[in-house]
Amino acid sequence: MRFLFLTFAVLCAFAVPSRADVMRLELAEGRVDITTGFNGTSVVLFGTMDTSADIVVTLKGPERTMIVRRKGKFLGTWMNRDSIEFRRVPSYYDYAVTMDNAELAAYPALLEEGQIGVDNLGLYPEDEDESEQMIDVFRDSLISQMQRKGFYPIKAHSPQILSPGFFKVVFELPPGVPTGIYTVEGLLVKDGSVTARESKTLQVGQVGFNARVYTFGEEHSFFYGIFAILMALISGWAAFTFLRRD
Amino acid sequence: MQIYLPIAEMSVPAESLLFLGVAVGFLSGVFGVGGGFLATPFLLFMGIPPAIAVGTQANQLIATSVTGVLGHWRRGNVDFHLGGIMTIGGVIGATFGIFVFRMLQHFGHIDIFIGISYVLLLGTIGLMMLFESVQAVLNRSKVTEDVQALSQKEFFRNLPYKIRFGKSRLYMSALLPIGVGVLGGFMVSVLGIGGGFVMVPAMIYILGMPSLLVPGTSLYQIIFISAFSCILHAVANGTVDVILALVMIVGGVVGAQIGVRLAKRIKGAPARVALALIIIGVCIRMMVALFIQPADLYSLDIR
């Protein structure tokens, strides 16, 4: 115990001197609980930063494989013809920056490194045998569909500066938000280069009754099926017995 | 009020779900049909993924079929022997159906497959029903020809594995009811419908069953087939949402009660015209989706 404390103290001692290039980030809640009545929520985080620098905060959901399909005419009907599969796509993304668009555009390397903005998420298809042009069109469609679902932002948020060096960021999670481990990353930016960074994780998951149903269905799918059948049998029988049809 | 569906992992308005359940139950109360043919398309319109809609429908079908079969059983109108043989076919059809469903889903064609199947099924049944009921309303009593059932035709009589079904007074090859069962199982597992409006004519015109026994026997075998599909969907795809099913079942029970009370006051033939129009309406709605250029050509499939 004493050793741990000592180590901690030493670490702190090393961490403190470079105060100028420090940012701290903390989530108001480390997890988002999805209950039966869940109707979306906000993720609030606070942080401190060096006042002479800029900050970028991104929130990213668990990565999923996404397939974008395009319908085409086939025998008079509209059916899916072409498709492109994108791997490791964040299922949720939002960001907040203190800089405006013009300032950000001046640092393309920073945008790419920090994956700032939906156009810099690095979405590439697994097999690249499609034309560059087609990939671009499909990628844009992926982004706009995610924006329509409320999973990707239309534009950047700006952090609220509560007092010099102390900021607050609020991200909105819509009702159908993907579940899993989210990552919040804060970057301290000076003249287009990252001088400090900190990341936190956020757990988004179902709790209580919902979580039990989900894990039961996931881990014991056969018995879950049996349970579903029993529930249906009983309710069907009850409907007949207690509410006679004649 | 929003309700979060634990398996679908999405939040939907509980009122619309309940209302859909009531509407489906109402139809089953008034017309004696399962109503699955309305539930699945409307769940899809609400944005529930096809896999969840079909998997959950298999679950809900059990409840409605049990309620229905108990009444027929009480009146002794169920041929358990024939129903049991049909179940064998149903299990084969359902297994094949789940496989087809997964393949279609993998290649992104499940929506259009469901769409085309519904348009064909509903279009055929709706038009047939409309002609029949309009004729009945106009009081032109149709001459009912004594159609010979397919099972009594030369070729089918020579099929092997002949069984005597005492209750239905039939002596035919087991392959015929098994074949009809395969069709039923396939519809339950791919389209999420019990398919009473296909099974009932099939049992009358193909098997030649007495029409009194047909509804009860059809419901009886649907219980087993949908239970089997429900397990397969739960294990293979994890797409049975009990919360969604429960809300639909509750709505269905309420709707059926209202429907049954109303059914006593309305005449059979005009009611069948109404049902035919509803079926044709759903058919047209799905046909529009197939043939009109969609506003957005692109769709996103998140795995």
Side-chain angles (χ1 to χ4, degrees), chain A residues 54-56 58 93 97-100 103-117 120 185-197:
Chain A
D54 281 303
I55 48 155
V56 178
T58 59
Y93 175 80
V97 287
T98 49
M99 293 168 274
D100 62 32
E103 284 176 86
L104 276 173
Y107 309 117
L110 169 73
L111 293 178
E112 199 173 322
E113 185 208 343
Q115 300 202 331
I116 303 163
N120 299 298
E185 189 172 49
L187 304 175
L188 191 72
V189 179
K190 260 185 188 166
D191 304 325
S193 54
V194 176
T195 53
R197 63 171 76 216

Side-chain angles (χ1 to χ4, degrees), chain B residues 85-105:
Chain B
I85 299 289
M86 282 175 73
T87 304
I88 298 172
V91 166
I92 300 168
T95 313
F96 178 63
I98 300 269
F99 177 73
V100 169
F101 192 94
R102 290 207 75 161
M103 293 301 286
L104 287 168
Q105 212 179 11

Side-chain angles (χ1 to χ4, degrees), chain A residues 124-143:
Chain A
Y124 293 104
E126 194 63 5
D127 38 24
E128 304 201 343
D129 38 297
E130 303 293 351
S131 70
E132 196 69 32
Q133 202 183 354
M134 184 169 157
I135 293 171
D136 282 345
V137 173
F138 276 65
R139 184 192 292 119
D140 287 348
S141 166
L142 189 157
I143 292 170

Side-chain angles (χ1 to χ4, degrees), chain A residues 34-39 64-71 76-80 137-138 141-142 145-146 148 175 179 206 209-210 213-214 221-222 224-226 228-229 231-233 235-237 239-240 243-246, chain B residues 2-4 6-7 9 11 59 62-63 66-67 70-71 74 105-109 112 223 227 230-231 234-235 240-243 245-246 249 253 256-257 260 264 290-294 296-303:
Chain A
I34 296 180
T35 54
T36 308
F38 181 76
N39 194 16
R64 300 268 165 90
T65 295
M66 297 192 189
I67 302 167
V68 182
R69 296 201 162 93
R70 181 167 64 190
K71 289 194 176 66
T77 64
W78 289 89
M79 65 183 290
N80 291 326
V137 173
F138 276 65
S141 166
L142 189 157
Q145 304 224 28
M146 291 297 277
R148 230 172 297 156
T179 54
Q206 303 188 43
F209 177 69
N210 269 38
V213 172
Y214 180 80
S221 55
F222 178 74
Y224 175 85
I226 298 281
I229 292 171
M231 180 204 74
L233 285 177
S235 39
W237 171 82
F240 175 77
L243 302 162
R244 291 292 300 273
R245 287 184 166 208
D246 37 32
Chain B
Q2 294 276 322
I3 183 167
Y4 193 87
I7 303 296
E9 292 195 87
S11 167
N59 190 9
I62 304 172
V66 166
T67 311
L70 287 173
R74 184 168 296 213
Q105 212 179 11
H106 181 79
F107 293 111
H109 294 313
I112 192 150
I223 297 175
C230 179
I231 295 256
V235 173
V240 178
D241 198 308
V242 284
I243 303 299
L246 196 62
I249 291 171
V253 169
Q257 288 297 310
V260 165
K264 287 177 192 152
L290 287 180
F291 289 103
I292 305 272
Q293 179 170 0
D296 190 355
L297 287 179
Y298 296 86
S299 60
L300 188 60
D301 184 2
I302 303 175
R303 293 278 158 91

Side-chain angles (χ1 to χ4, degrees), chain A:
Chain A
M1 196 63 210
R2 179 172 295 172
F3 173 72
L4 274 179
F5 184 75
L6 212 66
T7 320
F8 184 69
V10 171
L11 280 174
C12 285
F14 276 106
V16 170
S18 57
R19 173 159 289 152
D21 288 342
V22 152
M23 82 169 309
R24 284 275 169 269
L25 208 60
E26 195 53 72
L27 285 154
E29 296 271 4
R31 52 173 301 140
V32 169
D33 292 341
I34 296 180
T35 54
T36 308
F38 181 76
N39 194 16
T41 186
S42 17
V43 172
V44 181
L45 54 97
F46 295 96
T48 56
M49 65 186 224
D50 179 355
T51 47
S52 64
D54 281 303
I55 48 155
V56 178
V57 181
T58 59
L59 174 62
K60 253 183 256 166
E63 289 172 341
R64 300 268 165 90
T65 295
M66 297 192 189
I67 302 167
V68 182
R69 296 201 162 93
R70 181 167 64 190
K71 289 194 176 66
K73 218 162 181 184
F74 181 75
L75 298 176
T77 64
W78 289 89
M79 65 183 290
N80 291 326
R81 299 297 294 273
D82 312 301
S83 66
I84 292 184
E85 184 173 325
F86 295 88
R87 297 263 170 94
R88 299 169 57 85
V89 181
S91 53
Y92 178 91
Y93 175 80
D94 205 351
Y95 69 119
V97 287
T98 49
M99 293 168 274
D100 62 32
N101 284 338
E103 284 176 86
L104 276 173
Y107 309 117
L110 169 73
L111 293 178
E112 199 173 322
E113 185 208 343
Q115 300 202 331
I116 303 163
V118 287
D119 295 327
N120 299 298
L121 285 175
L123 307 177
Y124 293 104
E126 194 63 5
D127 38 24
E128 304 201 343
D129 38 297
E130 303 293 351
S131 70
E132 196 69 32
Q133 202 183 354
M134 184 169 157
I135 293 171
D136 282 345
V137 173
F138 276 65
R139 184 192 292 119
D140 287 348
S141 166
L142 189 157
I143 292 170
S144 68
Q145 304 224 28
M146 291 297 277
Q147 285 172 331
R148 230 172 297 156
K149 287 170 193 275
F151 295 165
Y152 282 7
I154 307 288
K155 60 185 181 65
H157 294 271
S158 25
Q160 261 176 277
I161 307 294
L162 301 171
S163 68
F166 184 46
F167 65 89
K168 175 186 176 185
V169 177
V170 180
F171 293 121
E172 295 298 333
L173 298 184
V177 73
T179 54
I181 306 281
Y182 282 56
T183 342
V184 184
E185 189 172 49
L187 304 175
L188 191 72
V189 179
K190 260 185 188 166
D191 304 325
S193 54
V194 176
T195 53
R197 63 171 76 216
E198 170 152 40
S199 64
K200 293 272 177 213
T201 58
L202 170 71
Q203 166 103 35
V204 178
Q206 303 188 43
V207 291
F209 177 69
N210 269 38
R212 250 173 280 154
V213 172
Y214 180 80
T215 39
F216 185 36
E218 198 82 331
E219 287 166 17
H220 308 282
S221 55
F222 178 74
F223 292 102
Y224 175 85
I226 298 281
F227 169 77
I229 292 171
L230 284 178
M231 180 204 74
L233 285 177
I234 292 169
S235 39
W237 171 82
F240 175 77
T241 313
F242 301 115
L243 302 162
R244 291 292 300 273
R245 287 184 166 208
D246 37 32

